[in-house]
């Protein structure tokens, strides 16, 4: 039986949580579908595609700031959209896909337009909480179009952003899968040795490690982690904060410099370690006492990885990370933008670990298997 062709939009050249999921989906569907990807530039994503022998087309820079969009960004997106849709239609004519699949946020409207003009069915995969009102309105408008056949959401709170009645009927909530074994058996000793070299001191018994994993960008709020570490130090706690991830845009690099200044002014240069982009997340989690998720996440793959490693997670009492942890029966929550609440939450986790909670989180993740997810998403693609 001939495989159906799927054209995939990805708007980042790097591989973060969303791109990991796109690669996972393509791996799962490779027995029934073949793929071609639209990506902005050569990078980690193109290297992963080469490993899989998946063809790709370079579309040019598609980076936009996260959060609320200013007028100049909206105009830039408009011009970017015209260029992208025009080039994408050319790829569609050449590749002749059966399905258009859009997991990249900026590409969601582009895929709807291309699907309408080229008479191709479109599948959206929503991973994000959209903080910008204009973005939500645009997605609700385009999501109502006939070309958009299915809208996969990684959580209920993500799916609930589609409020248009007709569009919301297309929403299917699918929690992401997680490879539990990949994160359950990490080697902490390697990471501890690395930290001691970077900090220039031995980590004595009883030191606590709080880790945040994700791209270094304002939307991820690494500044909250730095504030927590500074306050815990003032309380006499022996604690080290790990920032795992890298910058993508120039705005991110400016934000990182602001974080470095915050660390300097807080007097905690010997308590914060920049780990950069890492592939040994299982080892980092094994060395971690608390995984900190202060951002508005659609679901939080990081939280699922942490639960797989039986690590405690602290996040705010809203968004997809809260939904996920609450559903799993684990996690410690704080009030958003409440400094004392977040400090107390992290302090509580470090001082009184709850092993029953971590076991519940682990048991939940054991059920989020690749096999179950593959069966569900394969049926969604076959039904389009």
């Amino acid at each position: 039986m001939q495989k159906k062709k799927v054209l995939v939009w990805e708007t980042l050249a790097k591989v973060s949580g969303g791109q990991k999921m796109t690669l996972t989906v393509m791996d799962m569907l490779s027995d029934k579908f073949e793929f071609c990807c639209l990506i902005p530039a050569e990078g980690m994503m193109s290297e992963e595609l080469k490993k899989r022998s998946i063809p790709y087309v370079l579309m040019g820079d598609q980076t936009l700031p996260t959060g609320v969009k200013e007028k100049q960004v909206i105009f830039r997106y408009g011009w970017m959209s015209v260029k992208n849709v025009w080039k994408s239609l050319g790829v569609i004519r050449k590749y002749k896909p059966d399905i258009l699949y859009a997991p990249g946020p900026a590409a969601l409207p582009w895929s709807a337009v291309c699907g309408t003009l080229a008479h191709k069915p479109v599948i959206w995969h929503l991973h994000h909480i959209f903080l910008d009102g204009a973005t939500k309105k645009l997605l609700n408008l385009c999501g109502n179009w006939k070309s958009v056949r299915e809208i996969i959401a990684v959580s209920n709170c993500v799916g609930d952003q589609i409020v248009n009645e007709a569009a919301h009927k297309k929403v299917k909530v699918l929690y992401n899968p997680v490879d539990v074994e990949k994160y359950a058996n990490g080697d902490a000793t390697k990471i501890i040795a690395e930290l001691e070299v970077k900090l220039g001191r031995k980590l004595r018994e009883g030191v606590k490690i709080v880790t945040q994993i994700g791209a270094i960008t304002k939307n991820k709020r690494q500044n909250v982690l730095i504030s927590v570490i500074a306050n815990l130090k003032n309380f006499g706690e022996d604690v080290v904060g790990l920032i795992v991830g890298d910058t993508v845009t120039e705005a991110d690099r400016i934000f990182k410099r602001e974080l470095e200044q915050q660390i300097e002014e807080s007097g905690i240069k010997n308590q914060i370690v920049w780990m950069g982009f890492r592939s040994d997340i299982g080892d980092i989690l094994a060395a971690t006492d608390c995984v900190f998720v202060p951002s508005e996440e659609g679901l939080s793959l990081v939280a699922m990885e942490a639960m797989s490693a039986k690590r405690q997670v602290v996040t705010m009492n809203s968004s997809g990370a809260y939904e996920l942890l609450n559903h799993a029966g684990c996690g410690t929550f704080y009030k958003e933008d409440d400094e004392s609440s977040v400090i107390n939450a992290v302090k509580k986790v470090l001082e009184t670990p709850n092993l029953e909670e971590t076991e519940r989180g682990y048991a939940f993740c054991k059920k989020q298997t690749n096999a179950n997810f593959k069966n569900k998403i394969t049926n969604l693609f076959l039904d389009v």
Side-chain angles (χ1 to χ4, degrees), residues 100-144:
L100 309 182
Y101 175 56
L108 297 169
W110 303 339
S111 65
V113 172
C114 289
T116 299
L117 296 177
H119 306 289
K120 301 289 182 181
V122 177
I123 298 176
W124 284 0
H125 202 156
L126 306 185
H127 299 268
H128 299 82
I129 299 293
F130 299 102
L131 304 178
D132 183 65
T135 300
K136 289 182 183 178
K137 288 179 181 178
L138 181 60
L139 294 183
N140 274 277
L141 172 66
C142 295
N144 190 33

Side-chain angles (χ1 to χ4, degrees), residues 309-371:
K310 297 185 181 180
R311 290 298 176 262
Q312 298 186 107
V313 183
V314 173
T315 190
M316 58 185 156
N317 61 352
S318 62
S319 83
Y322 171 74
E323 177 186 324
L324 170 71
L325 293 163
N326 202 35
H327 192 62
C330 62
T332 300
F333 311 114
Y334 64 88
K335 297 176 184 177
E336 186 178 1
D337 298 326
D338 186 326
E339 187 175 55
S340 63
S341 178
V342 64
I343 294 166
N344 289 335
V346 175
K347 198 166 183 288
K348 173 188 172 185
V349 160
L350 296 179
E351 291 178 351
T352 56
N354 190 324
L355 299 182
E356 288 185 6
E357 276 198 9
T358 56
E359 287 294 338
R360 285 198 294 271
Y362 177 77
F364 172 83
C365 287
K366 288 284 281 185
K367 297 175 184 176
Q368 307 304 309
T369 65
N370 283 336

Side-chain angles (χ1 to χ4, degrees), residues 118-359:
H119 306 289
K120 301 289 182 181
V122 177
I123 298 176
W124 284 0
H125 202 156
L126 306 185
H127 299 268
H128 299 82
I129 299 293
F130 299 102
L131 304 178
D132 183 65
T135 300
K136 289 182 183 178
K137 288 179 181 178
L138 181 60
L139 294 183
N140 274 277
L141 172 66
C142 295
N144 190 33
W145 294 357
K146 288 182 179 179
S147 61
V148 180
R149 303 288 181 82
E150 300 280 1
I151 302 175
I152 304 168
V154 298
S155 63
N156 286 294
C157 69
V158 167
D160 287 345
Q161 295 176 112
I162 304 299
V163 295
N164 178 282
E165 186 177 355
H168 190 76
K169 290 178 180 177
K170 305 174 186 179
V171 174
K172 307 284 191 310
V173 175
L174 276 185
Y175 280 4
N176 289 337
V178 62
D179 185 352
V180 172
E181 297 307 314
K182 182 178 179 180
Y183 303 102
N185 302 296
D187 182 1
T189 57
K190 293 192 299 185
I191 302 302
I192 296 299
E194 178 185 344
L195 295 180
E196 289 179 341
V197 170
K198 288 184 173 180
L199 291 170
R201 63 185 174 98
K202 293 288 288 184
L203 295 181
R204 67 176 180 83
E205 188 176 347
V207 66
K208 302 296 183 182
I209 296 176
V210 182
T211 299
Q212 182 174 347
I213 303 170
I216 297 173
T217 185
K218 276 193 175 182
N219 201 36
K220 295 293 184 182
R221 302 177 182 174
Q222 282 88 356
N223 57 299
V224 181
L225 172 69
I226 293 168
S227 176
V228 168
I229 298 300
N231 278 283
L232 290 175
K233 180 192 174 187
N234 292 336
F235 287 137
E237 300 281 351
D238 191 359
V239 62
V240 173
L242 307 188
I243 300 177
V244 183
D246 206 352
T247 57
V248 177
T249 67
E250 181 57 31
D252 296 340
R253 288 183 277 277
I254 292 171
F255 178 58
K256 184 178 180 181
R257 291 194 288 272
E258 293 172 357
L259 295 176
E260 290 169 336
Q261 184 177 350
Q262 182 186 357
I263 292 168
E264 181 77 33
E265 292 174 353
S266 300
I268 54 171
K269 286 185 72 174
N270 209 30
Q271 274 76 42
I272 297 287
V273 180
W274 299 95
M275 302 294 285
F277 177 84
R278 304 292 289 246
S279 57
D280 56 346
I281 297 299
D283 296 336
I284 291 172
L285 290 173
T288 295
D289 297 285
C290 168
V291 174
F292 188 51
V293 185
S295 51
E296 290 265 10
E297 298 292 334
L299 178 72
S300 183
L301 284 172
V302 169
M304 294 190 78
E305 293 164 0
M307 288 191 285
S308 298
K310 297 185 181 180
R311 290 298 176 262
Q312 298 186 107
V313 183
V314 173
T315 190
M316 58 185 156
N317 61 352
S318 62
S319 83
Y322 171 74
E323 177 186 324
L324 170 71
L325 293 163
N326 202 35
H327 192 62
C330 62
T332 300
F333 311 114
Y334 64 88
K335 297 176 184 177
E336 186 178 1
D337 298 326
D338 186 326
E339 187 175 55
S340 63
S341 178
V342 64
I343 294 166
N344 289 335
V346 175
K347 198 166 183 288
K348 173 188 172 185
V349 160
L350 296 179
E351 291 178 351
T352 56
N354 190 324
L355 299 182
E356 288 185 6
E357 276 198 9
T358 56
E359 287 294 338

